[in-house]
Amino acid sequence: MDFTSFEADRSLDASVPAAGETELFTIGDLAREFDITLRALRFYEDKGLLSPRREGLTRLYSAAERARLAIILKGKKLGFTLAEIKSMVALREGGPVPAGGLALTREKCVEQLGLLEQQKREVEEAIGELRQMIAAFPVRAAA
């Protein structure tokens, strides 16, 4: 299995403390750091992608959870589904892979690239059509 784009990104592990150290992050810390909403973090938790420790109502995320969030967001940015991302996280961490799990291979990356390129062409086509429509409207003089 080749985890090229995920394994090669050393920034994911940059803040992982050395053995014996414990670095904890609150939900607000991670939301600010990754520029995402608290709701998004709770959503990833509901989907089983994150499992913060609880102290009363406070969620505390370890450095490993922070690294996992970085992988989740990178997978999302690359257009993978949450199910695929969950498989990637499980494979990276050596856990069990969900049924129909994803082995991130070169072929899967090529397939995903093809899907994104097709989406890009469709968006560019829609933009072109909208520009043509806008150009067809008469220009109104400012009042």
Side-chain angles (χ1 to χ4, degrees), residues 117-136:
E117 287 174 340
Q118 176 61 33
Q119 290 173 350
K120 180 181 176 187
R121 285 189 295 274
E122 291 169 2
V123 167
E124 288 172 347
E125 184 178 305
I127 289 170
E129 288 180 29
L130 285 170
R131 284 189 174 136
Q132 288 176 349
M133 292 170 76
I134 291 169

Side-chain angles (χ1 to χ4, degrees), residues 56-139:
L57 296 176
T58 304
R59 289 171 167 86
L60 295 173
Y61 297 84
S62 66
E65 289 286 322
R66 182 193 164 278
R68 187 175 303 121
L69 178 59
I71 294 168
I72 292 165
L73 295 175
K74 186 167 189 169
K76 183 178 169 216
K77 179 180 176 181
L78 295 175
F80 290 103
T81 66
L82 287 181
E84 290 170 327
I85 293 168
K86 190 171 188 174
S87 295
M88 288 179 217
V89 170
L91 286 170
R92 178 182 168 91
E93 296 175 355
V97 181
L102 171 72
L104 186 57
T105 61
R106 182 181 190 286
E107 291 76 23
K108 182 61 182 173
C109 290
V110 168
E111 178 186 329
Q112 188 66 20
L113 179 60
L115 289 171
L116 292 174
E117 287 174 340
Q118 176 61 33
Q119 290 173 350
K120 180 181 176 187
R121 285 189 295 274
E122 291 169 2
V123 167
E124 288 172 347
E125 184 178 305
I127 289 170
E129 288 180 29
L130 285 170
R131 284 189 174 136
Q132 288 176 349
M133 292 170 76
I134 291 169
F137 285 106
V139 177

Side-chain angles (χ1 to χ4, degrees), residues 2-16:
D2 178 13
F3 297 94
T4 308
S5 62
F6 292 94
E7 289 297 322
D9 191 348
R10 295 291 176 221
S11 66
L12 298 178
D13 299 320
S15 72
V16 176

